[in-house]
Each structure stands twice: as C-alpha cells, then as structure tokens.
Amino acid sequence: MSDTIRAVFISAINYEEGTAQVVYKDRDDEVSPYLPFWSNEYNMPDIDTLVYVVHLQNGSTKGMILIPPFTNEHPPVEGKKGIWRKDFGDGSYLRYDYETLHLDIVTHSVKIQQLEIEGDLTVGGEVDITGNVHIKGHLTVDGGISG
C-alpha cells in the first residue's frame, strides 16, 4: 500500500490496549491489524467513525490512527479563535476562553475531593451540606433560617 495518509473507518476497537482496526472501503473492505491512536487522551471513537491513518512507507501493517477530523456532518461546535473545547458526546463539555481566562464545566454532576475558592462564589440553586460548616468571618442571611 503506497498511500502514506489514508481516510478510513474504525471497524473494531481494543479498549484495554487503546488500539483499533480500520477498514479500507476503497480496497475491497480490507481490514488493518490493530493500530495505536496518535493521541494524548483516552477517547475511543465509535465503530464506522471516519479517521485518518498515517502509515509507514513500507505498507499498511504499521501506522497510527489520528483522531476523527471535523467534517461537514460533524463541524466544530464552536469554531472561534482563542477557544479550547472538549465535548464528551452526551451534552457535557469543558470550554476554556484564552482571552477571558474563563473555564466552563458543563455536566450533570461534578465530584471534587477538595475545593478552595479565592474570590466570590455565587450558587444559583440549592445547596445540600452533609458535613459541618465552619465560618471564620461574618454570616449574613437575607431571608429566614429554618430547621
């Protein structure tokens, strides 16, 4: 196979090893051996996802799978300079704005072992506390306190 970079489709995934097989639909559905992903994160694509494979020049048995590209069917959610965004496929995402230095974490639930906030905290909902509360300053209550 003389093509160094190929557009292919995921055909099988080895989740434990972080590798996948790809199918060359233009070559009678030839299937590659398991190839590693060229990525620094674990996020396996679905079967039949379009990806690119970079092959060594000696054939199709050695190479690396590149992450899925943006396409007309799957464009960037927020194509804008200065934005980093990681979507998780279920509506959850991380978004960082390099200009405003603002990080959004959008998801149903976040678990944090310990959190220290230097600045103001605004909560737009209910707060349930299952442990103790220690206040080292003044407590101002606008409204009533019920037990």
Side-chain angles (χ1 to χ4, degrees), residues 6-38:
R6 300 290 317 273
V8 296
F9 295 86
I10 298 291
S11 63
I13 298 173
N14 183 323
Y15 292 96
E16 293 79 24
E17 293 184 10
T19 59
Q21 290 180 300
V22 297
V23 62
Y24 303 93
K25 294 189 177 187
D26 63 336
R27 298 240 164 113
D28 294 327
D29 290 337
E30 177 185 337
V31 176
S32 74
Y34 280 92
L35 301 170
F37 284 86
W38 187 350

Side-chain angles (χ1 to χ4, degrees), residues 39-55:
S39 180
N40 64 353
E41 66 179 46
Y42 183 87
N43 187 17
M44 296 292 115
D46 293 329
I47 302 297
D48 290 328
T49 298
L50 171 68
V51 293
Y52 291 106
V53 172
V54 177
H55 289 288

Side-chain angles (χ1 to χ4, degrees), residues 11 32 78 85 87 96 98 107 115 119:
S11 63
S32 74
E78 198 172 359
R85 183 170 168 140
D87 285 85
Y96 184 73
Y98 287 98
T107 188
L115 177 64

Side-chain angles (χ1 to χ4, degrees), residues 18 53 76 114 132:
V53 172
Q114 183 173 343
N132 298 323

